[in-house]
Amino acid sequence: MTDTPEGFAPLSRSSPLLDLLGPVYCRGEGLQLQLGLRADNRHANGRGTVHGGVLATLADVGMGYAMAFSSDPPLPLITASMTLDYLGAVQVGDWIEVRLEHHKRGRQMAFATVSLQVGEKVVVRANAVFAVPQAAA
């Protein structure tokens, strides 16, 4: 299966890592930004399911991009800590969506929670703390 759900377009911002994982898609903007990825054989572990590191990367990018691009200009957030709960396996061919659930930003730190879903099933829940770099005086 290679179709992309309605409303998703290629993510305009990328990195060398996302170029290896992708194409990564997006829908919405700012705090409503959702990411999507169609899992393929490149994402599989030795058991044939999607590797947890791929899911962790999607969670990190999903939280970071949604939080960073909720401001103009975007905030250059730095991931300080992240925890994940793996709640289900993701199969090759599955469409994975990353959705921001909770967020809070202070002057020095930001906090976020995302869910990764396959259909209506939550397969990962992740929480992160981000450092908000201070402008040089």
Side-chain angles (χ1 to χ4, degrees), residues 31-113:
L31 295 172
Q32 281 70 49
L33 179 70
Q34 296 178 355
L35 298 184
L37 176 77
R38 177 71 62 193
D40 64 36
N41 288 325
R42 296 172 299 145
H43 307 120
N45 58 28
R47 291 181 307 283
T49 59
V50 175
H51 192 283
V54 171
L55 301 174
T57 299
L58 288 173
D60 186 30
V61 172
M63 284 184 278
Y65 279 20
M67 296 287 289
F69 291 101
S70 68
S71 298
D72 189 20
L75 288 173
L77 299 174
I78 301 165
T79 307
S81 171
M82 185 171 74
T83 60
L84 285 91
D85 293 314
Y86 295 98
L87 306 170
V90 179
Q91 305 300 317
V92 169
D94 284 347
W95 174 258
I96 307 161
E97 286 186 22
V98 183
R99 300 176 183 168
L100 187 67
E101 293 185 345
H102 303 289
H103 61 88
K104 182 174 179 157
R105 190 178 78 220
R107 287 187 325 111
Q108 296 181 328
M109 303 188 78
F111 306 87
T113 300

